[in-house]
Amino acid sequence: MRVVQEIEKLKSDIFSDDWDKVKASVNRLFEIGGQENIDYLIGLLDQSNSGVRNAVALTFRDNEFSDALEPILNAINKKENKGYTGTMVYALDKLDCRLKLKELFDILFDNNSYEVQNHILTILDEQTFEFTEADLLGIKTKWEKLKDNWNELNNVDKDNLREHDIDQGLVQSFIDGYVTYLEQR
């Protein structure tokens, strides 16, 4: 099969109801490469179909394709995708997020999904970040407004914590880890 025909078939198969076919098609299109195909895949992050978005995000993750960082962040932050972003956030952990500390905290603060919060905390724990004083002040300010209601907003019973709860104290420890840089300046 000629490459042009293969590409057209892959693009068609991406919209299949068969997850394995969708994932394989996205992977193969990425393997074929070329700016036009990469741009096409990035454009799929705007799809209303969460399965297509997830397949694309996982392919970018598997290939550590950090050029997709901004488009994935944009898709995560679209209000119409709220509640369907866990896989896209998961994809971020293999991308270079070092300049996105504030954006990651924004996702953490704006989302009460355990899956999303857990992925964000993993990224915050495992990656190294570059940030400004303004970034840290913004994070601190947003947290100060939110922290007293954190447990309630996230259905965490502070008197009966479960092992997987992401409670106020845990988030505070992450905040403190970064805000200490303000005191060192």
Side-chain angles (χ1 to χ4, degrees):
M1 183 183 298
R2 293 187 35 209
V3 174
V4 172
Q5 292 170 319
E6 180 184 8
I7 290 170
E8 290 309 311
K9 173 132 178 54
L10 292 169
K11 287 180 177 179
S12 173
D13 288 348
I14 286 171
F15 295 96
S16 164
D17 289 333
D18 178 346
W19 167 252
D20 293 330
K21 183 183 278 191
V22 173
K23 185 74 170 91
S25 299
V26 170
N27 283 335
R28 178 65 183 131
L29 196 56
F30 185 86
E31 287 172 12
I32 292 171
Q35 194 61 51
E36 187 176 321
N37 291 330
I38 299 301
D39 289 345
Y40 178 79
L41 291 174
I42 287 172
L44 292 176
L45 292 169
D46 284 332
Q47 272 291 313
S48 60
N49 181 326
S50 63
V52 171
R53 288 193 314 266
N54 291 343
V56 171
L58 289 172
T59 293
F60 290 152
R61 178 190 190 278
D62 293 345
N63 290 281
E64 298 182 15
F65 187 67
S66 289
D67 289 354
L69 178 63
E70 285 296 331
I72 291 174
L73 285 171
N74 289 338
I76 290 167
N77 289 315
K78 288 177 85 173
K79 65 180 179 184
E80 56 267 29
N81 293 340
K82 190 170 176 101
Y84 299 95
T85 60
T87 301
M88 291 187 293
V89 174
Y90 170 69
L92 296 176
D93 79 346
K94 294 295 181 187
L95 305 183
D96 181 2
C97 296
R98 74 185 139 145
L99 300 175
K100 300 299 179 185
L101 182 70
K102 183 179 177 310
E103 290 86 344
L104 292 172
F105 272 106
D106 285 344
I107 293 168
L108 176 69
F109 294 156
D110 294 339
N111 200 306
N112 62 358
S113 157
Y114 169 78
E115 179 187 17
V116 169
Q117 292 173 351
N118 188 51
H119 292 319
I120 292 292
L121 293 180
T122 298
I123 296 165
L124 292 172
D125 191 45
E126 294 178 353
Q127 292 194 27
T128 302
F129 295 91
E130 297 174 21
F131 45 82
T132 66
E133 186 174 331
D135 291 338
L136 295 178
L137 289 171
I139 291 165
K140 183 178 177 184
T141 299
K142 194 165 186 178
W143 176 242
E144 290 299 321
K145 292 177 184 172
L146 183 62
K147 74 177 181 180
D148 289 339
N149 296 317
W150 179 265
N151 288 342
E152 182 181 336
L153 291 169
N154 291 281
N155 298 315
V156 174
D157 179 357
K158 68 178 176 146
D159 298 322
N160 198 10
L161 287 178
R162 297 167 297 187
E163 184 177 331
H164 67 275
D165 281 335
I166 298 175
D167 70 311
Q168 178 190 9
L170 178 60
V171 176
Q172 185 69 56
S173 70
F174 276 87
I175 302 288
D176 291 345
Y178 286 100
V179 172
T180 59
Y181 288 97
L182 288 173
E183 297 160 5
Q184 297 172 5
R185 293 180 181 247

